């Protein structure tokens, strides 16, 4: 005959197993939704944006979120979701993510880049698993949890799923930021992507380097391949390349010595070299070409004097005295519309920063020292307007694999990231400060 204590223990055990089963089922569904998003091929040059938009709108419907799809450029849908708050007079929150991903060389992946398969270690392999479909889905899953708990936001929460970030964002986030629609949103803070962290601390970014993609061209008289003479196109370009190399080395030395972080220096990398006279078998070997050019991917932090770099390019790297010219394929300012460096405050002057720190801590996470993002993201279009924007992708204990072969994110880290965003969104959406956007 069972004792009362024995029956109670069995009932508790059954309840525990039942709850564990529910939790496991929930996690399985969460991972499945992430896999479904990853399996949509939104890689350039032919991203399936409409399939991604349809998927996101379906998720919005399941969450009873307001939704609209905008095409600032035909064929490039931008999905904007809204979770209305109780105080419409307060500045809103914008959670931004991009739907596009970079191409993947299928033959160099151990698993299909759009298969979203999970290996025995729980790693989800897919293009976009880190950059940045994870973040977009984590926003949605966090809202799902908050809604299930009965939470109601004080201020409006918007989610933007934008196209074209990987090719500059000009037909996506830039169009949104400069639209009349965006003005109506009354955004007070923007969250955008960050980077994975190899250790246990989450990386967070308060600024980013601006691109100055530069092409330098040299011209000169053609000549016989055996002739020695001054000011050939190739000789002049090589002098410039050497000058660029020395500058690059001086910047890189500060990083290697630990004096500055990568995002705090100017990065310069030569990305193409175009010269020579083509022939049916390759290049003509006994003819010095009359033109030669090289392209450089230059990234400038907002703490650097951009004007001094422009002067260096004109006077040292491409001087007219050596028959050289240059132009920018892309050049973004490091200053916002008010002429101030595009930096988001990470101190007591910025309540959004303090809320983020506390929310991550409450979710049993820890932020690393805030950094300048080494590349460029869509956040710059919002910082240009003078808005605070924070780059944050909660992926700890994860190698940085954006744009790499075999990009993956462990499902446990993905699930932890949802808990982090749940805490952050709740903190942001609960904040009832009476200041306006202009007071930040």
């Amino acid at each position: 005959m069972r004792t009362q204590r024995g029956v109670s223990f069995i009932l508790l055990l059954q309840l525990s197993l039942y709850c564990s089963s529910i939790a496991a089922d929930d996690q399985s569904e969460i991972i499945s939704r992430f896999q479904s998003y990853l399996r949509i091929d939104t890689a350039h040059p032919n991203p399936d944006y409409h399939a991604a938009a349809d998927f996101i709108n379906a998720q919005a419907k399941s969450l009873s979120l307001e939704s609209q799809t905008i095409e600032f450029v035909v064929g490039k849908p931008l999905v904007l979701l809204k979770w209305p708050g109780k105080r419409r007079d307060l500045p809103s929150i914008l959670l931004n993510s991009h739907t596009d991903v970079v191409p993947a060389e299928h033959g160099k992946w151990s698993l299909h880049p759009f298969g979203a398969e999970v290996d025995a270690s729980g790693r989800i392999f897919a293009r976009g698993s880190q950059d940045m479909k994870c973040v977009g889905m984590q926003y949605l899953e966090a809202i799902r949890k908050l809604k299930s708990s009965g939470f109601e936001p004080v201020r409006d929460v918007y989610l933007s799923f934008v196209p074209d970030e990987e090719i500059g964002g000009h037909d996506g986030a830039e169009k949104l930021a400069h639209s009349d629609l965006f003005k109506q949103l009354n955004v007070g803070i923007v969250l955008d992507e960050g980077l994975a962290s190899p250790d246990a601390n989450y990386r967070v970014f308060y600024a980013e380097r601006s691109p100055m993609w530069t092409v330098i061209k040299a011209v000169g008289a053609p000549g016989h391949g055996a002739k020695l003479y001054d000011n050939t196109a190739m000789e002049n370009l090589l002098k410039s390349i050497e000058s660029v190399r020395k500058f690059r080395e001086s910047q890189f030395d500060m990083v290697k010595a630990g004096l500055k972080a990568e995002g705090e220096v100017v990065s310069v990398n030569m990305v193409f070299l175009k010269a020579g006279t083509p022939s049916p078998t390759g290049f003509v070997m006994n003819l010095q070409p009359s033109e030669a050019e090289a392209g450089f991917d230059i990234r400038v932090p907002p703490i650097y004097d951009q004007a001094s770099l422009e002067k260096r390019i004109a006077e040292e790297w491409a001087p007219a005295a050596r028959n050289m010219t240059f132009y920018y394929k892309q050049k973004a300012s490091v200053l916002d519309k008010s002429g101030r460096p595009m930096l988001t405050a990470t101190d007591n002057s910025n309540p959004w920063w303090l809320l983020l720190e506390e929310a991550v801590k409450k979710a049993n996470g820890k932020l690393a020292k805030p950094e300048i993002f080494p590349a460029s993201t869509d956040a710059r279009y919002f910082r240009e307007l003078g808005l605070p924007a924070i780059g944050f992708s909660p992926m700890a204990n994860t190698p940085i694999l954006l744009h790499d072969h075999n990009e993956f994110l462990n499902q446990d880290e993905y699930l932890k990231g949802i808990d982090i965003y749940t805490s952050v969104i709740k903190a942001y959406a609960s904040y009832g400060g009476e200041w306006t956007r202009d007071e930040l």
Side-chain angles (χ1 to χ4, degrees):
M1 181 176 178
R2 293 178 180 174
T3 65
Q4 184 66 35
R5 179 178 295 178
V7 171
S8 298
F9 174 77
I10 291 172
L11 288 173
L12 286 171
L13 180 61
Q14 290 175 335
L15 179 61
S16 175
L17 291 173
Y18 175 70
C19 292
S20 297
S21 175
I22 291 176
D25 288 344
D26 285 347
Q27 289 187 1
S28 177
E29 290 176 5
I30 290 169
I31 296 301
S32 179
R33 285 191 288 266
F34 184 32
Q35 290 174 300
S36 295
Y37 189 28
L38 290 170
R39 287 171 181 149
I40 301 171
D41 186 349
T42 52
H44 291 284
N46 298 302
D48 192 350
Y49 282 137
H50 287 99
D54 289 344
F55 174 81
I56 293 160
N57 279 315
Q59 297 302 307
K61 185 176 181 180
S62 73
L63 291 167
S64 299
L65 298 176
E66 297 178 16
S67 175
Q68 58 179 311
T69 301
I70 309 111
E71 290 194 10
F72 291 111
V73 175
V74 176
K76 297 182 178 184
L78 182 156
V79 180
L80 184 67
L81 310 182
K82 180 181 180 181
W83 188 12
K86 293 179 284 188
R87 292 279 307 277
R88 311 303 294 277
D89 57 308
L90 295 176
S92 65
I93 301 153
L94 178 64
L95 309 174
N96 186 62
S97 68
H98 60 83
T99 54
D100 60 322
V101 299
V102 295
E105 298 179 72
H106 292 213
K108 296 181 179 178
W109 284 60
S110 57
L111 295 171
H112 195 286
F114 295 100
E117 297 178 59
V118 184
D119 72 1
S121 300
R123 298 178 298 178
I124 306 170
F125 285 83
R127 177 60 86 218
S129 56
Q130 290 190 20
D131 183 18
M132 64 172 298
K133 288 183 174 179
C134 56
V135 171
M137 284 304 295
Q138 285 170 326
Y139 292 155
L140 291 167
E141 297 296 349
I143 289 175
R144 194 182 303 275
K145 290 186 69 172
L146 289 169
K147 276 179 163 279
S148 296
S149 72
F151 174 78
E152 295 182 6
V154 172
R155 59 184 72 225
D156 292 342
V157 179
Y158 290 98
L159 295 83
S160 50
F161 293 81
V162 302
D164 277 16
E165 191 274 346
E166 297 293 1
I167 56 172
H170 304 297
D171 291 340
E174 185 177 19
K175 288 282 195 301
L176 173 64
H178 292 100
S179 68
D180 290 336
L181 170 63
F182 186 76
K183 294 175 183 176
Q184 297 169 15
L185 304 185
N186 188 28
V187 173
I189 176 64
V190 179
L191 287 185
D192 204 344
E193 65 183 312
L195 290 173
S197 174
D199 60 32
N201 298 328
Y202 294 117
R203 300 179 74 178
V204 61
F205 301 89
Y206 64 98
E208 61 188 55
R209 294 193 293 199
S210 297
M212 280 180 61
W213 294 349
T214 306
V215 176
I216 295 177
K217 183 176 181 179
V219 298
H224 194 283
K227 183 179 179 181
L228 293 173
Y229 62 100
D230 292 325
N231 293 319
T232 69
M234 287 292 283
E235 184 68 17
N236 283 334
L237 184 61
L238 287 172
K239 289 178 181 178
S240 291
I241 291 172
E242 178 61 16
S243 181
V244 173
R245 188 197 66 78
K246 289 180 179 178
F247 176 82
R248 179 186 186 276
E249 185 177 31
S250 70
Q251 296 290 298
F252 198 15
D253 281 348
M254 288 188 283
V255 176
K256 290 186 283 188
L259 300 176
K260 289 190 176 182
E262 184 180 356
E264 296 175 341
V265 301
V266 178
S267 66
V268 187
N269 290 297
M270 188 165 72
V271 292
F272 76 81
L273 180 61
K274 181 181 177 182
T277 303
S279 75
T281 57
F283 290 91
V284 177
M285 294 300 295
N286 63 346
L287 176 62
Q288 297 183 56
S290 61
E291 297 183 357
E293 63 181 35
F296 299 90
D297 184 339
I298 303 173
R299 308 286 175 128
V300 187
I303 56 176
Y304 192 85
D305 181 5
Q306 190 173 27
S308 69
L309 182 60
E310 295 169 354
K311 183 177 180 182
R312 182 186 295 270
I313 293 171
E315 295 180 358
E316 295 181 25
W317 297 357
R322 289 210 311 264
N323 298 323
M324 304 192 75
T325 57
F326 70 95
Y327 67 92
Y328 300 114
K329 287 185 70 69
Q330 184 177 149
K331 178 173 174 281
S333 175
V334 299
L335 306 177
D336 65 19
K337 65 176 184 179
S338 300
R340 296 173 295 190
M342 287 192 287
L343 303 167
T344 296
T346 56
D347 56 27
N348 293 344
S349 69
N350 182 4
W352 299 112
W353 172 254
L354 301 178
L355 287 167
L356 178 69
E357 275 190 315
E358 185 62 26
V360 171
K361 184 178 179 181
K362 283 184 178 179
N364 299 314
K366 185 178 179 182
L367 294 180
K369 179 182 177 182
E371 307 173 62
I372 296 175
F373 198 87
S376 303
T377 72
D378 281 337
R380 70 185 185 274
Y381 297 121
F382 305 109
R383 290 197 190 100
E384 282 176 355
L385 300 176
L387 289 172
I390 298 173
F392 178 61
S393 297
M395 297 179 284
N397 304 304
T398 302
I400 302 170
L401 295 171
L402 75 168
H403 300 194
D404 208 339
H405 305 314
N406 292 318
E407 180 183 351
F408 73 81
L409 178 60
N410 191 283
Q411 58 186 1
D412 289 339
E413 286 299 327
Y414 176 72
L415 294 169
K416 288 178 186 176
I418 293 171
D419 291 336
I420 295 291
Y421 273 127
T422 301
S423 183
V424 172
I425 294 171
K426 183 177 182 179
Y428 275 13
S430 299
Y431 182 54
E434 297 300 329
W435 43 262
T436 64
R437 180 172 56 190
D438 293 337
E439 292 172 330
L440 276 177

